[in-house]
Amino acid sequence: MLGLVAFASALGTAGLAFGYWIVLPRALQWLTHYDDSHFTTLIQAKAYYSFTSTVLLGIVLVFELPVIVLGLVSIGVLSSATLRRNRRLGYFIVAVVALGLPGPDPVTTGLELLPMWALFEGSIWLAFFVERARPDSLAADRFDTVARQPD
């Protein structure tokens, strides 16, 4: 359990760092310099902090994808074979999620999408290694033990 918490914390920290130093500066640059010849940009703190926190929260949640996949593989809902077989559908779903994230321009959306694809691919490999490390009879033993316990 401690390893899972450390893994999730590391992914969240990586997502926060990626969002803060890579995605957010590009998004703010585009928003504040959209058409400088016609517009004067006046930034309000409330709107700035709302946009910043939304972007960073979205990126942090997206970076937790391997933990979600690990949980689904652990309970038997997903398998690495299913993920590999439906890889194209997974890439499409990840792209739709990236389009739903708060990104004002195509470059920012692309910056959000590329690590998401890498995390999805890493999740497939993580599922493969988790399945390989887990004995096949673990699930059957768990159900047999529960069924045999007296009331």
Side-chain angles (χ1 to χ4, degrees), residues 91-116:
Y91 282 141
F92 177 74
I93 291 170
V94 166
V96 169
V97 170
L99 289 172
L101 289 175
D105 63 315
V107 174
T108 304
T109 302
L111 285 173
E112 294 169 342
L113 180 62
L114 292 175
M116 289 174 66

Side-chain angles (χ1 to χ4, degrees), residues 1-148:
M1 186 59 118
L2 186 60
L4 182 63
V5 169
F7 182 57
S9 298
L11 285 173
T13 303
L16 186 63
F18 180 80
Y20 186 76
W21 279 299
I22 295 177
V23 174
L24 194 59
R26 176 66 183 122
L28 291 173
Q29 171 72 20
W30 189 85
L31 282 173
T32 57
H33 297 18
Y34 175 66
D35 193 3
D36 287 337
S37 63
H38 293 94
F39 299 106
T40 302
T41 304
L42 301 174
I43 300 173
Q44 296 177 341
K46 182 179 178 181
Y48 172 78
Y49 288 128
S50 175
F51 177 75
T52 301
S53 61
T54 304
V55 167
L56 293 178
L57 181 63
I59 294 292
V60 167
L61 290 176
V62 162
F63 266 66
E64 297 296 329
L65 176 68
V67 175
I68 294 168
V69 170
L70 179 64
L72 292 174
V73 168
S74 295
I75 63 173
V77 174
L78 280 177
S79 69
S80 62
T82 303
L83 289 169
R84 283 191 306 254
R85 196 171 40 251
N86 297 316
R87 184 175 269 136
R88 286 184 183 174
L89 178 63
Y91 282 141
F92 177 74
I93 291 170
V94 166
V96 169
V97 170
L99 289 172
L101 289 175
D105 63 315
V107 174
T108 304
T109 302
L111 285 173
E112 294 169 342
L113 180 62
L114 292 175
M116 289 174 66
W117 276 340
L119 287 167
F120 178 70
E121 192 65 34
S123 298
I124 294 172
W125 283 101
L126 181 65
F128 174 74
F129 290 123
V130 165
E131 287 176 345
R132 209 166 176 205
R134 180 181 56 189
D136 293 342
S137 63
L138 180 65
D141 289 343
R142 212 180 299 153
F143 289 117
D144 287 341
T145 305
V146 171
R148 290 183 197 163

